[in-house]
Amino acid sequence: QAPLEASGGGSVQAGGSLRLSCSVTASAWNSCMGWFRQGLGKEREGIASISSEPDIKYYAESVEGRFTLSQDKANRMLYLQLNSLKPEDTATYYCARLGGSSDCYRVRRPGEYTYWGQGTQVTVAQ
């Protein structure tokens, strides 16, 4: 199994919803996990991070109020609920882990993560 495997992407109409999942191996699970995305021709964007203890979530302004990050520590799963999707949310979404043993403290930039999965594509049509 890859250290992190994202799934759940798909194609939806604007205003629709998707739920992304990320399966994480025991060795990859860390005190700070998160998601970032990259649209075609765009820079990578950190969108949400979650600290393990305590369970604190951080969101980028672009997704605040629409996306919800959660974790199932017992099963080493991350979830990202995407609601009120917009065409500009079209991107490949990656789940990732921060290196070291630090909490997140804020939304982490993609370059701060040390491992990420293969990504799952989200396409939002007008």
Side-chain angles (χ1 to χ4, degrees):
Q1 180 184 354
L4 301 102
E5 292 186 357
S7 61
S11 297
V12 297
Q13 295 292 116
S17 299
L18 285 171
R19 190 191 194 208
L20 307 184
S21 300
C22 179
S23 174
V24 186
T25 62
S27 59
W29 190 266
N30 202 21
S31 53
C32 177
M33 308 291 293
W35 292 83
F36 65 90
R37 66 186 180 185
Q38 186 167 25
L40 189 62
K42 299 181 180 179
E43 292 188 359
R44 294 181 303 174
E45 177 191 12
I47 56 174
S49 302
I50 185 167
S51 292
S52 180
E53 291 290 345
D55 190 325
I56 301 177
K57 302 149 194 181
Y58 307 88
Y59 299 96
E61 287 186 16
S62 58
V63 306
E64 179 86 54
R66 300 187 299 122
F67 293 5
T68 302
L69 177 56
S70 61
Q71 59 183 342
D72 176 350
K73 287 179 279 190
N75 292 299
R76 295 189 301 277
M77 294 291 296
L78 290 177
Y79 301 102
L80 187 65
Q81 179 68 39
L82 285 58
N83 295 330
S84 302
L85 281 161
K86 306 174 182 179
E88 52 264 43
D89 294 319
T90 295
T92 301
Y93 285 69
Y94 300 87
C95 58
R97 61 153 283 178
L98 190 72
S101 59
S102 172
D103 285 342
C104 295
Y105 299 117
R106 54 178 170 80
V107 176
R108 291 292 179 159
R109 296 185 298 274
E112 296 180 285
Y113 292 111
T114 53
Y115 293 105
W116 52 90
Q118 83 286 359
T120 186
Q121 177 67 34
V122 172
T123 303
V124 185
Q126 291 278 8

